Amino acid sequence: MAVSPQPSQTRSAPPWWQTSILYHIYPRSFRDGDGDGVGDLRGILQGLDYLESLKVGGLWLSPIFPSPMRDFGYDVADYTGIDPLFGTLADFDALLAGVHARGLKLILDLVPNHTSNEHPWFLASRSGRDDPKRDWYVWRDPAPDGGPPNNWISFFGGPAWTFDPATGQYYLHQFDRSQPELNYRHPEVLRAMLSCAAFWLERGVDGFRVDVIWLLIKDALLRDEPVNPDWDGVNPHGRLRHIHTADQPEVHAIIREFRALFDRYGERVLVGEISLAPPELMPYYGRNLDECHLPVNFRLIYLPWRAEILRRAIAEYEALLPPGAWPNWVLGNHDQPRLVNRVGRAQARVAQMLLLTLRGTPTCYYGDEIGMENGRIPPEKIRDPQAINQPEVAALMGRDPQRTPLPWDAGPNAGFAPAAAEPWLPLGDDCAVRNVRTQDGDPASDLNFFRALTALRQATPALLLGDYREVPVGVAEVLVYTRALDGDRLLIALNLGSASRHLDLGFLAGEGCILLATGLDLQGAALLTPLVLAPNQGLVLRIPPHPSSPRGVP
Ligand code: NOJ
């Protein structure tokens, strides 16, 4: 099946977010510029040379707003400020100017679904049933037995309701009890949140990743959710089918309002965090492509790392994309175990090669470029509320391991923070050997592989904008596809297995030219009949244009 490029503007000028690599920074862990053991804006500013060397184009920062940090910034107490831990508004402006001076873009994380319980809106709402802001949040009377109003549960364990003795009602929170949910059925709430977003758009940010955008509105009747017959018994939140707390039809009108605001500022991007399978995800582009530019596609994170499963998932996703919609892919984030732990170290470069040669905007997670692993967090150092609130599944659900500080060098505190500081989470065990400086000096390192891959992507229009066609090779654990544009044709062959494979690419005559190998050990002419793939090897080749094919393949 062929999938044609569909940039939403003329091909000569696609919007920046279609041709840029997005890079996700967890600000607490990127670089500590002021010596308190927590990463900050000055640290990111100091890291801009490094980020530029990665050829990434858009930096997405997890929340940096004032917050009690119960969920490390996803509990916002002031949407138009900077938490002192991260710096000041002046630091922010300096960072934004530094980012823009390098031709990069900056994306902030908007958290509209819930505030901190210390936000003035909630303090007012909680102050009395008659307060004008009472209905800005979701308050309900107890059930007849005094318990919560319905059976909804929190992602962080336990009921999604907390009782407030002072006013005799429960408030809703799908995350920690310190994150009460706003009520988007109240018109003033949306207006208030839009003006918070406008504050940053006015300041020049290039867009937002919008937290849990598919949860913004809940069933008006607060009906109980049914038991999930397919629950795997692992994640307690999967016990119910979330048909009344997520993906409600009314959410689309709200997203359109956010998008309309962003559009008033020109080319600003709306990345929507939506954890849904492709058929349910697609409506979030909007019927007229007027909702999310990039509804986050989590397939590569959630699916088993098997070639056939991935091949089918890519085909399904490409086939479902609405006309004119732009794809996106991601391999890791601050909520998921590290890439290396999910796919294995032997496959990490293959996975990066897949991410960065697929059609659509890729998002990379800080540290994956040097192959960071999940950190080891001793019980007394656990910080994540998802783990603290659910000790019985902390080992599985805890998100601290994927949030450990980026090791910059082999010095004290791995160069993340000054020697006298105590990093907020422990450094990885391997940071003396696996760090930015060591890998920078090793031509065959993960870091230099990543740079070669991103440089190739950014310099090759066929990879940025070309069509995608899968190439059926009939060999287990191998994924092969082409990307082509204007007669330039690239073949990507990925061996997800640990045995070498001979591929019969009989439809191709003669030779191709290897542009990049995962081992950084091959370049130049290569025989295509057969093409030999070493175990765990990925190759990007330039192949001759081949307009007619007897087998109907590219
Ligand atoms: C999704 C974020 O990615 C996660 O880190 C956070 O805990 C929840 N939303 C709540 O904001």
Side-chain angles (χ1 to χ4, degrees):
M1 181 199 56
V3 182
S4 303
Q6 297 170 330
S8 68
Q9 301 191 349
T10 58
R11 213 179 67 200
S12 55
W16 66 268
W17 47 267
Q18 291 187 349
T19 52
S20 298
I21 298 165
L22 304 185
Y23 184 90
H24 175 188
I25 292 177
Y26 197 67
R28 297 180 70 90
S29 296
F30 188 71
R31 195 176 172 108
D32 174 12
D34 65 4
D36 62 359
V38 180
D40 47 38
L41 297 180
R42 256 192 269 160
I44 299 171
L45 189 62
Q46 290 163 8
L48 287 185
D49 282 347
Y50 172 65
L51 292 165
E52 208 177 0
S53 82
L54 299 180
K55 296 270 191 300
V56 296
L59 310 179
W60 151 30
L61 311 186
S62 276
I64 51 174
F65 317 111
S67 162
M69 300 288 165
R70 301 267 181 280
D71 192 18
F72 300 107
Y74 286 95
D75 47 328
V76 179
D78 171 6
Y79 287 91
T80 56
I82 299 291
D83 194 283
L85 257 184
F86 296 126
T88 61
L89 265 177
D91 291 327
F92 174 80
D93 289 338
L95 176 62
L96 186 61
V99 166
H100 284 166
R102 288 162 195 259
L104 307 179
K105 306 284 185 183
L106 193 66
I107 301 172
L108 294 185
D109 206 321
L110 187 68
V111 190
N113 179 64
H114 43 269
T115 67
S116 158
N117 59 349
E118 295 182 24
H119 194 291
W121 297 342
F122 188 70
L123 296 179
S125 181
R126 168 177 237 176
S127 68
R129 290 196 188 200
D130 295 334
D131 187 273
K133 291 218 166 44
R134 183 66 171 181
D135 290 336
W136 279 40
Y137 293 82
V138 185
W139 291 96
R140 281 299 181 282
D141 289 336
D145 67 356
N150 66 19
N151 76 343
W152 295 356
I153 52 180
S154 156
F155 282 89
F156 290 178
W161 298 95
T162 287
F163 186 64
D164 175 49
T167 57
Q169 287 191 310
Y170 282 86
Y171 65 86
L172 178 70
H173 56 87
Q174 294 195 72
F175 295 92
D176 191 63
R177 62 174 57 208
S178 64
Q179 295 166 294
E181 307 234 344
L182 285 160
N183 173 18
Y184 278 86
R185 295 185 185 279
H186 191 305
E188 282 174 30
V189 169
L190 180 58
R191 275 206 296 277
M193 194 52 74
L194 290 172
S195 75
C196 297
F199 173 88
W200 297 105
L201 293 166
E202 290 286 341
R203 255 190 144 78
V205 304
D206 299 289
F208 287 97
R209 174 266 193 188
V210 182
D211 192 62
V212 296
I213 204 167
W214 89 113
L215 304 183
L216 283 183
I217 194 157
K218 291 45 125 166
D219 178 39
L221 302 174
L222 303 188
R223 282 170 286 185
D224 274 358
E225 294 193 315
V227 166
N228 176 7
D230 304 321
W231 183 40
D232 61 5
V234 180
N235 179 354
H237 189 254
R239 195 161 54 74
L240 301 181
R241 285 182 54 226
H242 299 291
I243 59 171
H244 297 312
T245 49
D247 195 24
Q248 301 299 290
E250 301 97 314
V251 78
H252 296 283
I254 298 172
I255 299 176
R256 282 196 292 276
E257 296 276 346
F258 280 106
R259 172 64 181 272
L261 172 74
F262 289 23
D263 283 353
R264 284 207 280 283
Y265 291 85
E267 226 174 63
R268 313 293 171 101
V269 70
L270 198 173
V271 181
E273 189 203 12
I274 300 154
S275 185
L276 292 173
E280 288 79 44
L281 182 69
M282 295 305 164
Y284 285 81
Y285 280 104
R287 231 177 254 146
N288 301 307
L289 297 186
D290 51 1
E291 296 184 30
C292 301
H293 294 106
L294 302 174
V296 176
N297 164 23
F298 287 106
R299 290 292 88 186
L300 298 182
I301 292 185
Y302 292 154
L303 290 175
W305 198 250
R306 303 293 305 274
E308 180 54 17
I309 293 174
L310 294 173
R311 183 193 66 71
R312 269 197 249 137
I314 297 164
E316 181 202 27
Y317 178 79
E318 286 277 14
L320 285 170
L321 272 176
W326 187 250
N328 74 90
W329 302 93
V330 56
L331 270 183
N333 65 36
H334 62 302
D335 294 330
Q336 301 297 330
R338 281 274 175 191
L339 171 66
V340 166
N341 298 78
R342 291 200 327 272
V343 305
R345 188 161 296 287
Q347 277 293 307
R349 292 189 187 190
V350 173
Q352 297 277 22
M353 192 174 262
L354 175 67
L355 174 74
L356 288 152
T357 58
L358 279 174
R359 194 175 81 89
T361 302
T363 302
C364 302
Y365 184 49
Y366 87 94
D368 280 352
E369 70 276 10
I370 60 165
M372 275 177 81
E373 292 179 7
N374 283 344
R376 226 171 15 90
I377 315 291
E380 70 282 5
K381 296 257 162 104
I382 294 178
R383 309 289 299 271
D384 177 19
Q386 183 160 276
I388 291 171
N389 296 358
Q390 309 179 92
E392 64 294 352
V393 286
L396 273 171
M397 307 288 300
R399 301 171 297 176
D400 296 318
Q402 56 266 31
R403 297 174 176 181
T404 58
L406 182 67
W408 288 88
D409 57 41
N413 280 333
F416 162 73
E422 186 187 350
W424 79 285
L425 280 177
L427 293 156
D429 291 340
D430 57 354
C431 64
V433 285
R434 186 172 296 283
N435 60 62
V436 169
R437 181 170 298 164
T438 309
Q439 293 207 8
D440 191 41
D442 170 4
S445 67
D446 286 343
L447 176 58
N448 284 320
F449 166 71
F450 183 85
R451 286 173 170 153
L453 182 57
T454 55
L456 176 64
R457 179 182 176 93
Q458 295 313 101
T460 311
L463 287 178
L464 291 176
L465 297 168
D467 68 9
Y468 165 90
R469 291 180 189 217
E470 65 179 52
V471 177
V473 283
V475 178
E477 294 312 335
V478 169
L479 198 56
V480 183
Y481 49 92
T482 58
R483 300 290 316 282
L485 186 72
D486 295 340
D488 187 27
R489 195 159 59 135
L490 269 57
L491 181 99
I492 294 95
L494 304 173
N495 187 352
L496 276 69
S498 52
S500 72
R501 299 289 185 194
H502 287 56
L503 307 183
D504 166 22
L505 300 176
F507 65 93
L508 286 174
E511 287 190 342
C513 176
I514 297 178
L515 304 178
L516 185 66
T518 40
L520 290 172
D521 49 352
L522 297 173
Q523 249 182 355
L527 265 190
L528 295 172
T529 49
L531 178 68
V532 181
L533 277 182
N536 300 302
Q537 187 181 53
L539 298 176
V540 181
L541 301 101
R542 179 160 277 130
I543 56 172
H546 198 274
S548 64
S549 153
R551 287 180 9 199
V553 278

